[in-house]
Amino acid sequence: MPERRTVALVTLGCARNEVDSEELAGRLAADGWDLVEDASDADVAVVNTCGFVEAAKKDSVDALLEANDLKDHGQTQAVVAVGCMAERYGKDLAEALPEADGVLGFDDYADISDRLQTILSGGVHAPHTPRDRRKLLPVSPAERQGASVALPGHGDGEVQAAAPAPADLPEGVAPASGPRAPLRRRLGSSPVASVKLASGCDRRCTFCAIPSFRGSFISRRPSDVLGETRWLAEQGVSEIMLVSENNTSYGKDLGDIRLLETLLPELAAVDGIERVRVSYLQPAEMRPGLIDVLTGTEGVAPYFDLSFQHSAPDVLRAMRRFGDTERFLGLLEEIRNKAPQAGARSNFIVGFPGETEADVKELERFLSEARLDAIGVFGYSDEEGTEAAGFGEKLPSEEVAERLARVSRLAEELTAQRAEERIGETVRVLVESVDTEDGPLGRGAHQAPETDGQVLLSVPEGADGQGGPGGQGQPLAVGRMVEARVVATEGVDLVAEPSVRVSEEAGR
């Protein structure tokens, strides 16, 4: 019997990368690898890199170098780069970073076990030459579903589907139930898990390189999304977050641009799933029917992760985006008319080429009136391969930094004020951890994982936080959904007292 190998997956970047890592984990577990949490305990450390912006790329390089150091005083024998940075730079990354024993692109994912075995045995797998992945799929969205192109998070293409998954899958590995349904193995025990709805993007924002290395937009089939959600519920997941580069485009390549409106109630009805959250929404593609479903479907969070990026019309046009302050405020008003407690967040870029002081003030006006729950602010920097990198009217880096600091301070003040507005509200909180010092911590419907703050559940005197407030016997355990009244804030975080308990039956 061959010696079993150990592997650790180190994930950087967004929730989409987390899904990709769990697909790789599923493939490796199905092929006999033992997955370990600590890279120092693994024969090979696989670093799933991020290639979005300069800071993320630096973090990825640092993680690869840190893993490489383990080769001197651990059992780690090899370090392998995968993910967006590996796909985007390929052989250039391999040449610039010889500490990585392998640089694998998306096309290698289906054969990840063989690739790692080759590298561990002292062999070399030549890194790929980067290419524009938008050209791998047909221009027409309707013709993309049959293409056998590697799509992380989608499983194998139809051409490769003739090789079925092993019949004796290890415990904890999701079976591939369709031609685009991936094997998957959870890498943590959180009651929240992301589910990939689609991949790629057809938009051509001038500042963004993602479409060039993630490819054109392609949806996963509803049956695959539902099947994976049911499996996650069996693994103890209470909340799923739908992720992709652009969820509002879901279904356009399947012949139904309103497919998300149909799918969401089905996902919310999956036994064991308490909450469904949708991320990455494009304001220009929001439609009344989708707003209705997001604000009026039980089990679907009234949560709007809207990609505004700016609000000054001239800056938005230079970004090749649409809208302005008044239209964006009108969209938020429409949402809150239907669901007053709805959560809303967005990211913004300051210092874009040609941005004027008047444009910054317009953005500040929008932020001041928008009452967003969470705001991310980024300073513009050139990304190679993007249209904006060739623009004139570049602002000095010192001015970009000053605007970043200025708008970030405003954002911090405004989001703290928005949190204070929620005092007195009743929020439905998913308990995600029980800290020995802080007590139970969770998130309300207006808070996504990692980015939007959290809720500290303040247990009344006489309750231990495990047996439940008021002695009612319902534990504030991880994965439990409880109702609580907001009584205070700490910045963007809320402090809330549990009130009416939400049981599995009452939560449906």
Side-chain angles (χ1 to χ4, degrees), residues 99-117:
E99 291 86 352
D101 299 285
V103 175
L104 305 181
F106 297 154
D107 292 335
D108 293 308
Y109 281 22
D111 301 307
I112 186 67
S113 180
D114 289 343
R115 300 289 186 264
L116 298 189
Q117 290 284 12

Side-chain angles (χ1 to χ4, degrees), residues 268-506:
V270 171
D271 189 32
I273 296 298
E274 295 278 1
R275 186 157 65 202
V276 178
R277 183 183 305 278
V278 185
S279 61
Y280 305 114
L281 300 169
Q282 288 290 340
E285 297 181 29
M286 290 299 295
R287 44 196 180 269
L290 180 56
I291 294 174
D292 288 342
V293 171
L294 287 170
T295 56
T297 305
E298 188 171 0
V300 175
Y303 174 79
F304 293 81
D305 177 12
L306 295 160
S307 178
F308 289 126
Q309 302 299 343
H310 213 284
S311 74
D314 289 344
V315 177
L316 287 168
R317 301 305 173 268
M319 291 178 169
R320 200 174 290 125
R321 298 180 64 84
F322 306 94
D324 54 41
T325 295
E326 300 308 325
R327 290 188 213 180
F328 292 163
L329 290 174
L331 173 59
L332 291 169
E333 182 180 13
E334 181 182 358
I335 290 167
R336 288 169 176 148
N337 284 340
K338 296 178 182 295
Q341 294 187 11
R345 80 168 321 277
S346 191
N347 293 326
F348 299 88
I349 298 173
V350 295
F352 194 79
E355 182 190 63
T356 65
E357 176 62 24
D359 293 329
V360 180
K361 289 182 177 178
E362 181 69 359
L363 174 58
E364 291 173 326
R365 180 174 79 88
F366 170 70
L367 293 176
S368 298
E369 297 183 30
R371 297 169 52 236
L372 299 173
D373 293 279
I375 299 170
V377 187
F378 301 89
Y380 173 81
S381 61
D382 285 340
E383 278 293 311
E384 66 251 50
T386 64
E387 188 176 344
F391 284 179
E393 297 185 88
K394 297 284 177 61
L395 300 179
S397 59
E398 298 82 5
E399 189 168 357
V400 174
E402 186 278 327
R403 292 182 180 184
L404 173 61
R406 165 183 158 188
V407 177
S408 295
R409 284 194 300 270
L410 176 63
E412 186 175 350
E413 294 172 7
L414 293 171
T415 51
Q417 291 172 13
R418 176 65 183 127
E420 290 177 355
E421 291 179 13
R422 292 192 178 275
I423 293 176
E425 288 185 0
T426 296
V427 291
R428 200 161 180 255
V429 181
L430 175 64
V431 181
E432 293 187 337
S433 66
V434 180
D435 188 273
T436 54
E437 293 184 3
D438 295 331
L441 296 170
R443 290 177 301 99
H446 69 286
Q447 297 167 314
E450 307 295 335
T451 59
D452 298 350
Q454 58 188 359
V455 179
L456 168 61
L457 291 168
S458 177
V459 181
E461 187 176 351
D464 61 7
Q466 296 295 318
Q472 298 178 36
Q474 183 80 7
L476 292 180
V478 172
R480 182 69 60 188
M481 192 78 77
V482 300
E483 286 185 1
R485 186 174 64 87
V486 180
V487 296
T489 65
E490 297 178 1
V492 296
D493 297 332
L494 306 182
V495 179
E497 293 180 350
S499 51
V500 178
R501 203 97 53 247
V502 182
S503 66
E504 285 91 345
E505 293 77 20

